[in-house]
Amino acid sequence: MERRVRAATAVATLLLTGCAAPSPDPPARTGFTVRYEPPAAADRAEAARLRAGRGAEDAADRLNAFLDLPHEVVVVAKSCAGEGSGYAPGVRRIELCYDDAVEDRALFERAGDRPADEAVSAVWTETLFHEAGHALVDLLDLPAEGRAEEDAADRFAALMLLRQGPPGERALRLAAREYALAAASGTGPHAEDQDEHAPDAVREAAHLCHLYGAAPAHHPDLAPRFPHCPTTWPTTRDAWLQDLTPLLRR
Ligand SMILES: [Zn+2]
């Protein structure tokens, strides 16, 4: 009996030693990670501000605290020369565009919103969450595409911001304002992607509906426009939570 125990201990020691041996390959990274590419000259100031603000890292941290991804999804901040932010499923890569932020700043400043730093940061974060929504549709193989996928990605962005309470509510409100300003001006970062996304005015209304629905006491001014949203928000939120079940951290 004694000897069998000792033999078992020796095997366990061997196994432990084996496990502790240094591995030649570093462990694969998982979750959302952030990388910055050097900006084009015209985007340099905005890129420096966004990088210093660490909004992308903060958003990635929030996603990773909420969700346990089996793969890495790289968020690359870069100059996109007007191509627009997006998610590439094949390489699981989100591109966030400095030049979109430059356009957003101009949009807010033309409307008299100065300084526009907080608003630009809010849209940057909301865009990252929107693209993360596309990544999750891809990773979870959810049956949404085209306009339905775009709407789901917007709802995911709202969900991520509303989970933060009042600071996220403020950011969601600023993101909605950006859609309202873009709709009024007919230009801005979304001008080229109207084919798949809902029109800007519709996206604005959807964000405000979720905002009021999730926290009606904080936004009484929205009550006349969105009286039914406190009823619809729990359904919207729970539909995403249901889809996210395999990835939710306990
Ligand atoms: Zn999209």
Side-chain angles (χ1 to χ4, degrees), residues 177-188:
R177 176 159 172 76
E178 193 261 9
Y179 287 127
L181 294 175
S185 76
T187 61

Side-chain angles (χ1 to χ4, degrees), residues 184-206:
S185 76
T187 61
H190 319 295
E192 63 286 323
D193 52 29
Q194 294 302 309
D195 50 334
E196 293 237 309
H197 298 80
D200 286 331
V202 175
R203 298 180 84 182
E204 181 224 4

Side-chain angles (χ1 to χ4, degrees), residues 66 155-156 159 210 230-245 248:
F66 182 41
R155 291 194 293 270
F156 180 76
L159 172 72
H210 304 325
T231 315
T232 53
W233 170 248
T235 312
T236 302
R237 178 198 58 206
D238 292 348
W240 251 116
L241 291 175
Q242 181 68 39
D243 285 340
L244 292 168
T245 302
L248 286 178

Side-chain angles (χ1 to χ4, degrees), residues 130 134 137 142-155 193-198 203:
H130 172 95
H134 283 299
V137 167
L142 299 178
E145 54 186 56
R147 168 73 184 270
E149 180 174 338
E150 293 303 337
D151 292 350
D154 277 349
R155 291 194 293 270
D193 52 29
Q194 294 302 309
D195 50 334
E196 293 237 309
H197 298 80
R203 298 180 84 182

